[in-house]
Amino acid sequence: MMIGGKIQEMEDDVTVEEYLRKEVADWDDEVKCVARFKAFSGQRSDWESLYVFWRDLILKVARHLRIFIIRPSQVKMWFNRGGLVPLCLDQVLFEMYAAGELLRNLGVADPASGWVSQMLWRVVNLGGLLKPSTQEKLAEDYYIIPVLLKEKALQVVQALSESHWTASCVTTWRKFQEISGGLKEAHAVLNHLCEHGKAKYLVTNKKDLMEGVKVSLSERALSGTTSLDFDVLHLISTVEKLEHQLNVIDQRWKRSRASALASLKLGNKQVALKCSREMKLASLSREKCTALLNRVEEVLGVIADAEASKEVAEAIRIGTEAIKENGINYDEVELCLQELNECIESQKQIDDILGANAAGAEIEDEDIEEELKQLELNFVEVPTQTSSGVDAVVAGTQETADALSDSLSNLHLTHHARKDPKAKHPVESMGASSKDVSREAVLS
């Protein structure tokens, strides 16, 4: 584990070095590097900008690495330049901690512990017993970045939402750790969700110890846990165990098959026959395990469908109550929907007519301006004389307006007709006004 952790840190350092060169354009500038790597001195106003630079850069690197739990020594390795480390990093981290932008991991209550332990941690935190008083350097420990913790919690909820279509879901603690990225990360995410009423820790000791988490996948907070949640946790845990058993059986079958083939090549039929029997037993075990897994998944599917149906029924009930409270009946709703569909269809027909007319009149802006100037000169020279070109434009415009008016007259605008059957149809007045406007536009 220690060797694997060191290798991972070395890979992260290489990734961070490349990222810094992309994020900070003058990262390799020696003059600016000396200014940035110096320690803070003087009043806060003297080094405030440098502090903001390093604080934001720490957040960016952590987000780039997709982590929200850091250690001071780890941060120093990010910015190590040939053995040179920024002298101000200790104070930057301390200032972040004092401002609440870093949270010590010891200050996060474990949701899996009892309520007495959680209350004790809250008292300790409120009393400031975990805050350094006079020191200017953080102890070597794990620290949580609250902003990135919130982002990670949203990602965990989103990941669970992709495999569930209900308002809440139950998952095993092992699966929750896997999605969160580790044990420490899972505890921090669970604590964050529990503080906002979005998750509950589940544990049962019926036969074996089983731990799980119930997470809200909607905007609403969890109301609580029920016996069904623990039953679902037991079923999901059984599914995970069966899936693991299937993987073990498959691996055993592959080994037996490889041994059988090797024995046949060597001419050892007895060993090959023994391996074949093991393959047969593995196949039978796999069939039984698969059948049981399908039955459990079927039960989980029935439960999920029942929960979804319950949510739909609840939504229908709320909608019915809202309609009654606002004095709306179903006939009025149906009538409004029908009128809306008719208006949409009418608008489509209008768009088709206007689009057809516009498609045949693709003229360059320069040509239009030149034509207008020519018309103005003609009107100035002969104010009382009307050219044949203008008459043609008027005639064409009138034909277009007539066609648009006839098309609008054929539309069924039932909303206006229902209100005043004796009133003049609004489409006719629209057509008439369109003609007048067209004539005025041409003659002006």
Side-chain angles (χ1 to χ4, degrees), residues 94 96-100 102-104 124-125 127-135:
F94 181 81
M96 292 178 66
Y97 183 77
L102 284 181
L103 178 64
R104 195 173 184 182
V124 170
N125 287 329
L129 299 181
L130 293 175
K131 295 272 186 179
S133 56
T134 58
Q135 67 181 33

Side-chain angles (χ1 to χ4, degrees), residues 268-388:
N268 194 340
K269 294 184 178 180
Q270 292 182 352
V271 177
L273 182 61
K274 180 181 178 182
C275 293
S276 298
R277 291 175 181 173
E278 292 178 354
M279 290 174 58
K280 182 63 176 178
L281 292 175
S283 299
L284 293 175
S285 299
R286 195 181 197 287
E287 291 178 0
K288 294 179 181 179
C289 190
T290 302
L292 180 57
L293 177 62
N294 292 335
R295 289 173 56 190
V296 175
E297 289 181 341
E298 183 179 354
V299 174
L300 286 173
V302 171
I303 295 175
D305 292 339
E307 291 180 354
S309 301
K310 180 181 178 181
E311 293 173 5
V312 172
E314 182 67 15
I316 293 175
R317 183 186 65 80
I318 294 174
T320 303
E321 292 179 355
I323 289 176
K324 291 180 179 179
E325 291 176 358
N326 290 276
I328 302 175
N329 55 51
Y330 290 102
D331 294 335
E332 292 178 353
V333 174
E334 186 66 24
L335 183 60
C336 290
L337 293 175
Q338 183 179 357
E339 291 179 355
L340 179 60
N341 291 331
E342 292 175 354
C343 290
I344 293 174
E345 186 64 27
S346 301
Q347 185 63 40
K348 288 181 179 179
Q349 296 181 22
I350 294 173
D351 293 339
D352 293 339
I353 295 172
L354 295 178
N357 292 332
E362 296 181 356
I363 305 175
E364 297 294 336
D365 294 339
E366 296 180 357
D367 296 338
I368 294 175
E369 293 177 359
E370 187 65 27
E371 184 67 21
L372 289 176
K373 291 180 180 179
Q374 187 65 32
L375 288 175
E376 290 177 357
L377 292 175
N378 291 338
F379 281 121
V380 171
E381 293 174 359
V382 188
T384 59
Q385 183 179 0
T386 304
S387 64
S388 59

Side-chain angles (χ1 to χ4, degrees), residues 99-329:
E101 296 175 341
L102 284 181
L103 178 64
R104 195 173 184 182
N105 196 31
L106 291 177
V108 177
D110 184 4
S113 61
W115 67 271
V116 176
S117 299
Q118 295 185 29
M119 289 297 297
L120 177 61
W121 277 116
R122 291 179 182 177
V123 171
V124 170
N125 287 329
L126 290 176
L129 299 181
L130 293 175
K131 295 272 186 179
S133 56
T134 58
Q135 67 181 33
E136 297 182 356
K137 181 179 179 180
L138 293 182
E140 181 60 26
D141 201 349
Y142 290 96
Y143 295 87
I144 296 173
I145 304 176
V147 175
L148 302 185
L149 170 60
K150 183 178 179 180
E151 295 179 3
K152 184 63 177 182
L154 293 176
Q155 293 174 5
V156 170
V157 173
Q158 180 63 31
L160 293 172
S161 300
E162 293 176 356
S163 57
H164 299 82
W165 58 87
T166 53
S168 62
C169 73
V170 175
T171 185
T172 61
W173 179 242
R174 185 193 66 81
K175 184 67 174 180
F176 192 81
Q177 285 186 49
E178 181 181 335
I179 299 175
S180 301
L183 179 60
K184 294 188 298 294
E185 290 79 4
H187 277 292
V189 171
L190 178 57
N191 180 76
H192 176 79
L193 293 175
C194 289
E195 286 181 351
H196 292 80
K198 304 284 289 185
K200 297 285 185 180
Y201 174 74
L202 305 177
V203 60
T204 177
N205 287 310
K206 290 183 178 180
K207 293 183 178 179
D208 298 326
L209 177 65
M210 285 186 296
E211 298 175 288
V213 182
K214 182 179 181 180
V215 182
S216 173
L217 305 180
S218 63
E219 298 296 331
R220 296 177 298 177
L222 288 177
S223 58
T225 58
T226 62
S227 59
L228 180 62
D229 296 329
F230 291 93
D231 294 335
V232 171
L233 175 61
H234 186 272
L235 292 173
I236 294 176
S237 178
T238 302
V239 168
E240 291 185 356
K241 291 179 180 178
L242 290 175
E243 290 177 345
H244 175 71
Q245 186 65 26
L246 284 175
N247 292 330
V248 173
I249 293 174
D250 291 340
Q251 294 296 327
R252 186 176 64 184
W253 184 88
K254 291 179 180 179
R255 288 195 300 268
S256 299
R257 183 176 182 274
S259 299
L261 293 175
S263 300
L264 287 175
K265 290 181 180 180
L266 296 175
N268 194 340
K269 294 184 178 180
Q270 292 182 352
V271 177
L273 182 61
K274 180 181 178 182
C275 293
S276 298
R277 291 175 181 173
E278 292 178 354
M279 290 174 58
K280 182 63 176 178
L281 292 175
S283 299
L284 293 175
S285 299
R286 195 181 197 287
E287 291 178 0
K288 294 179 181 179
C289 190
T290 302
L292 180 57
L293 177 62
N294 292 335
R295 289 173 56 190
V296 175
E297 289 181 341
E298 183 179 354
V299 174
L300 286 173
V302 171
I303 295 175
D305 292 339
E307 291 180 354
S309 301
K310 180 181 178 181
E311 293 173 5
V312 172
E314 182 67 15
I316 293 175
R317 183 186 65 80
I318 294 174
T320 303
E321 292 179 355
I323 289 176
K324 291 180 179 179
E325 291 176 358
N326 290 276
I328 302 175
N329 55 51

